[in-house]
Amino acid sequence: MPDTVALSRYAGRRRRNAVATALSFAATAFGLGWLVLILGVLLWEGFGGLSVAVFTQMTPPPGSNGGLLNPIFGSLILTAIAVLIGTPIGILAGTYMAEYGRHDRLTSVVRFINDILLSAPSIVIGLFIYQVMVAPLGHFSGWAGGVALAVIVIPVVVRTTEDMLVLVPNALREAATSIGLPRSMAITHICYRAARAGMVTGVLLAVARISGETAPLLFTSLNNQFWSTDLNGPMSSLPVVIFQFALSPYKDWQALAWTGALIITLAVLALSITARSLTSSGKRS
Amino acid sequence: MQPEERQSVVDVALASGVAIPGETAARTKVLGRLRLGDAVFRHLTRAAAIAVLLLLTGVIISLIEGSLPAFRKFGFEFLISERWNPVTEIFGALPAIYGTVITSLIAMLIAVPVGLMIAYFLTELCPQWLRRPIGIAIELLAGIPSIIYGIWGLFMFAPFLQATLQPFLIDSLGHVPLIAPLFSGPPYGIGILTAGLILAIMVLPFVTSISRDVFEAVPAVLKEAAYGVGCTTWEVMRYVVLPYARIGVIGGVMLALGRALGETMAVTFVIGNAHRISASLLAPGTTISASIANEFTEATSDLYTSALIALGLILFVITFIVLAAARYMLLRIERRIG
């Protein structure tokens, strides 16, 4: 009875397909479930602590009320330093790779090294900056924290700049050259303008990446209980404060840690959504 | 054309052109300035590209330099010794290396199958209008900073595991011969297993998004041919898409492994920071990154600091090898597509 054999084999294949489909549904629900769970808990725990005081008062000693003003300010300063140092270097390096040396050996080596840097453990970056900046100078400093974050910004910006410039059509470069623009002006006035949305996205993604980075700051900018604008001294930052407060035994510190975590997450999500909408609108035009 | 040649062409054009002498001189000056600007910009970009190279070189050199005292003192013993005693200043990296490898292994064991199944869902089964939202949601999961996973793991996930999964594992698998030691001891909540599970959630989006990208790169003709001879969706996945995308998937998995190995904050909160190797997965342990994060600012002596930097060097070497292999594989599949 060959027909029944064929039919039962067919039924078996159908069954296996159904099992795989069910498993893939379950896997997707599992993956999305974590997102919902983490964001849900974060909103639940963090939202209650959100108040004006969080943005106007300093971090408190245990047992009293306070806010997160100095770590928020510190994080903004450190991020600004990182972007100011990292973006120009990243954009210039990406420019070389896409415009001048698209096919040279240097470019392929830099691309490989850059990809390694992109995924290198951030705590190792912290150790590196400790070795070259903190240990020789003998003190922790905001500068060191900013530079450590810049080291994380650079590979992100290099990558997106190169990718975006490569997408710029050659006809634009030829047109620019044909009206007598020197190469450097063709790049800065024509290619950069054409690739602008993508390059800005790269910077935004880099900011999103560093705004939650804790490991490289632990022993570069350290932490500061007080308001400080001195970049040569230890500087407070949100992630490090969250780390310290969450591991403390004090309930009000832990509550502030949740609030800080909520602020960081909202900032990161806002940045990545902005970046995403920038690229999608850039693609459309 | 060489620069000198180009210059001479310009000069000839200027000289032979019908122009007022003063204007020619002015033009030559402007051209010279532009030429200089061009050269400066070109060298600036080149210097920046070289700076990226120097950055990695700097990382390697500074780590080696910093770890020299520890390696000089303990030699090869550092890599295989289980002892970590800051008071008597005897340091061995084995518990940290063990913790790093085991937590990453647990993470990959969970994240790889789940991630592949999500990618399967997104590329083959999901209705078109739902693909983008789910894809974005998965990528948002990748964007959440690791410290958020850490604080969530410490306050929510670890107590939850302590109350549910861990007693269950102890009661059920804790009596099965051979694997019983893996699930022995009290349920602490924090420990190797918890850290591994949190890492799994963290690397899941990486595995998913890279597998989705390589699955999408499989030529439609291949899949259509398989459907044409009567394959089911799963069979197309299993016998056509997966073999074709194999190298890319392995590359993506290694990239995720690189992340898991070097992840610091999510692990530091829940690992328990105990420098010992326990048979039980439920016991507290430590990883390289967690040890550095926890102890670096407390390290009072030079030898202690150096031992921690040596740990960092070991971590860097491990991740470098994994990441380099991952990039090489992804490069191969990119070449095949391009």
Side-chain angles (χ1 to χ4, degrees), chain A residues 33 36 46 133 171-172 183 187 197 221 259 280:
Chain A
V36 173
M133 282 184 78
L172 276 181
R183 190 83 181 266
I187 293 170
S221 64
T259 309
S280 58

Side-chain angles (χ1 to χ4, degrees), chain B residues 69-336:
Chain B
F71 278 120
R72 220 177 264 141
K73 178 88 190 284
F74 304 111
F76 186 68
E77 186 76 1
F78 184 75
L79 292 175
I80 51 169
S81 164
E82 215 182 301
R83 294 175 64 195
W84 184 272
N85 192 334
V87 182
T88 55
E89 298 218 309
I90 293 178
F91 301 104
L94 198 60
I97 297 175
Y98 169 83
T100 305
V101 172
I102 291 293
T103 49
S104 301
L105 218 60
I106 296 174
M108 301 318 286
L109 274 178
I110 296 166
V112 171
V114 175
L116 286 178
M117 283 316 265
I118 299 179
Y120 169 51
F121 175 78
L122 283 176
T123 52
E124 302 292 330
L125 297 168
C126 184
Q128 202 67 42
W129 57 272
L130 204 61
R131 283 186 192 186
R132 234 179 97 78
I134 294 188
I136 290 176
I138 296 281
E139 274 158 41
L140 286 185
L141 198 60
I144 295 177
S146 60
I147 188 157
I148 309 297
Y149 287 92
I151 182 171
W152 176 79
L154 176 68
F155 289 116
M156 298 292 152
F157 198 49
F160 171 76
L161 288 180
Q162 189 174 22
T164 55
L165 182 69
Q166 293 189 347
F168 169 75
L169 286 176
I170 294 167
D171 289 341
S172 55
L173 297 178
H175 302 296
V176 181
L178 287 178
I179 58 167
L182 286 178
F183 302 100
S184 59
Y188 290 102
I190 55 173
I192 299 268
L193 182 68
T194 312
L197 292 178
I198 295 228
L199 279 181
I201 302 170
M202 278 204 66
V203 297
L204 181 60
F206 296 107
V207 179
T208 308
S209 68
I210 293 178
S211 333
R212 185 195 56 191
D213 292 349
V214 285
F215 286 177
E216 274 173 355
V218 175
V221 187
L222 283 183
K223 289 195 272 185
E224 284 156 9
Y227 282 121
V229 297
C231 287
T232 61
T233 321
W234 171 245
E235 282 164 352
V236 171
M237 184 71 207
R238 172 71 187 76
Y239 299 108
V240 177
V241 175
L242 213 52
Y244 187 89
R246 191 182 55 226
I247 301 173
V249 168
I250 297 175
V253 166
M254 308 249 317
L255 210 59
L257 178 62
R259 293 252 166 188
L261 287 168
E263 179 44 49
T264 310
M265 296 326 287
V267 172
T268 307
F269 276 98
V270 294
I271 190 88
N273 204 34
H275 280 275
R276 58 168 184 265
I277 300 177
S278 318
S280 174
L281 293 179
L282 306 178
T286 193
T287 68
I288 292 175
S289 48
S291 306
I292 301 172
N294 267 320
E295 298 173 37
F296 199 82
T297 42
E298 292 163 16
T300 39
S301 71
D302 289 344
L303 191 61
Y304 196 178
T305 309
S306 170
L308 286 168
I309 294 176
L311 278 183
L313 179 65
I314 295 169
L315 176 66
F316 188 73
V317 171
I318 297 175
T319 48
F320 189 96
I321 294 168
V322 171
L323 292 173
R327 290 296 171 190
Y328 176 71
M329 286 174 177
L330 288 173
L331 209 67
R332 265 178 63 181
I333 200 158
E334 253 169 45
R335 270 196 207 131
R336 200 158 70 183

Side-chain angles (χ1 to χ4, degrees), chain A residues 13 17 96 131 184 239 276, chain B residues 38 46 62 147 230 234-235:
Chain A
R13 287 172 55 204
N17 193 46
Y96 179 82
Q131 282 286 97
S184 60
R276 195 174 297 280
Chain B
D38 241 16
R46 197 182 156 83
S62 75
I147 188 157
W234 171 245
E235 282 164 352

Side-chain angles (χ1 to χ4, degrees), chain A residues 77-78 80-82 84-85 129 133-134 137 139-150 217 220-222 229-235:
Chain A
I77 295 286
L78 293 181
I81 295 175
L84 287 179
I85 297 175
I129 298 299
M133 282 184 78
V134 178
L137 297 175
H139 57 84
F140 300 100
S141 69
W143 283 117
V147 173
L149 292 180
L217 297 178
T220 49
S221 64
L222 204 67
T229 52
D230 179 15
L231 282 168
N232 287 316
M235 198 148 204

